[in-house]
């Protein structure tokens, strides 16, 4: 089955700086890559996603890049704010079926 | 009901007991999933169902069973709970043609 690895496990940045979280996947058939944000004590929620026919996608301060050849994708958050502090999960799926998640990155944005 | 709901929100259970976690969604999503969340291990897929009447095994299915008698409900049963099943369990659903997973609020289970 699919294996998704995520790094780093924790990330601490100063407010206003950028944050980058990286994931790799093992199954070249995976074609959908969402990112979820989980605030403390709450459910994960989708923040951005990318499909395999696209190399980059942006939504305001967040962006995701995908390198299909290397089988890795990354989440970029610019101008970080304290409310960005949360755990972020990447995931991979084949045709929206059986989502496999990375182990999570705890992002701490220091004011 | 709006969205996806789980019950109970929290439960302490003696080892060896049987436990069913309930999950109901009103979005008419065809796909439903059960994940467990453990510190440092992320979200691991236990079982899934692509449509009513069908189920499949995920990454960590041992000790768990599911059923999908209708579109809305997807209960997860621990036949004989063990301490290693202490975790937070999330149910999720999706329209398999759209992609986004909608999660329930989670069920915190402690097995002593």
């Amino acid at each position: 089955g699919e294996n998704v690895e995520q790094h780093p496990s924790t990330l601490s940045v100063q407010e206003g700086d950028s944050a980058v979280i990286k994931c790799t996947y093992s199954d070249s058939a995976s074609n959908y890559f969402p990112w979820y944000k989980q605030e403390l004590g709450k459910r994960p929620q989708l923040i951005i996603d990318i499909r395999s026919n696209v190399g980059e996608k942006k939504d305001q301060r967040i962006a995701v890049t995908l390198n299909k050849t290397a089988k890795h994708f990354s989440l970029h958050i610019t101008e970080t704010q304290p409310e960005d502090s949360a755990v972020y999960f990447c995931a991979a799926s084949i045709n929206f079926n059986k989502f496999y998640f990375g182990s999570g990155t705890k992002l701490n944005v220091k004011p | 009901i709006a969205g996806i709901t789980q019950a109970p929100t929290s439960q302490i259970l003696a080892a060896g007991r049987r436990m069913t976690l309930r999950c109901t969604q009103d979005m008419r999503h065809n796909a439903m999933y059960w994940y467990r969340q453990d510190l440092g291990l992320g979200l691991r897929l236990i079982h899934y169902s692509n449509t009513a009447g069908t189920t499949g095994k995920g990454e960590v299915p041992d000790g768990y069973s599911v059923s999908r008698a209708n579109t809305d409900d997807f209960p997860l049963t621990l036949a004989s709970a063990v301490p290693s099943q202490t975790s937070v369990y999330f149910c999720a659903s999706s329209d398999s043609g759209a992609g986004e997973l909608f999660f329930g609020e989670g069920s915190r289970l402690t097995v002593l």
Side-chain angles (χ1 to χ4, degrees):
Chain A
E2 175 67 280
N3 181 44
V4 178
E5 295 190 354
Q6 182 171 348
H7 300 281
S9 57
T10 60
L11 180 60
S12 187
V13 300
Q14 205 67 39
E15 181 177 0
D17 288 350
S18 295
V20 180
I21 302 170
K22 298 181 179 182
C23 288
T24 60
Y25 61 99
S26 61
D27 193 336
S28 57
S30 290
N31 57 6
Y32 176 67
F33 307 92
W35 286 87
Y36 285 79
K37 175 183 180 182
Q38 185 180 30
E39 297 177 349
L40 188 62
K42 297 191 175 180
R43 72 189 84 188
Q45 292 189 300
L46 180 71
I47 55 170
I48 195 168
D49 56 13
I50 191 167
R51 304 188 185 193
S52 60
N53 59 346
V54 176
E56 183 175 2
K57 183 177 179 181
K58 291 183 179 180
D59 183 3
Q60 299 182 18
R61 296 187 297 107
I62 60 173
V64 58
T65 58
L66 171 66
N67 183 326
K68 287 192 297 181
T69 303
K71 289 190 284 188
H72 68 71
F73 56 113
S74 301
L75 178 71
H76 304 254
I77 306 174
T78 59
E79 301 173 22
T80 53
Q81 301 168 2
E83 51 264 39
D84 294 329
S85 295
V87 178
Y88 292 81
F89 293 98
C90 62
S93 170
I94 301 172
N95 297 329
F96 311 123
N97 184 27
K98 287 197 295 183
F99 296 78
Y100 293 93
F101 284 81
S103 54
T105 297
K106 184 176 183 180
L107 174 64
N108 179 36
V109 180
K110 297 177 286 186
Chain B
I1 299 176
I4 183 166
T5 58
Q6 294 182 231
T9 55
S10 181
Q11 182 76 43
I12 298 174
L13 187 66
R17 297 297 295 270
R18 180 183 180 90
M19 177 72 194
T20 295
L21 303 179
R22 300 183 298 279
C23 177
T24 299
Q25 54 102 0
D26 65 356
M27 297 175 283
R28 308 302 295 172
H29 286 166
N30 49 353
M32 297 188 74
Y33 309 84
W34 275 104
Y35 287 89
R36 60 177 288 174
Q37 184 174 26
D38 304 289
L39 190 64
L41 295 175
L43 293 155
R44 291 183 292 168
L45 181 64
I46 304 171
H47 285 287
Y48 67 97
S49 170
N50 287 330
T51 189
T54 69
T55 62
K57 294 181 179 180
E59 302 166 271
V60 288
D62 294 344
Y64 306 95
S65 63
V66 292
S67 61
R68 187 86 183 278
N70 57 60
T71 297
D72 299 345
D73 301 301
F74 191 44
L76 176 73
T77 297
L78 289 68
S80 179
V82 295
S84 62
Q85 292 178 311
T86 293
S87 188
V88 178
Y89 292 86
F90 283 98
C91 181
S93 71
S94 72
D95 177 345
S96 57
E100 180 175 358
L101 282 178
F102 291 85
F103 285 88
E105 294 197 3
S107 296
R108 181 176 294 277
L109 183 65
T110 302
V111 183
L112 302 176

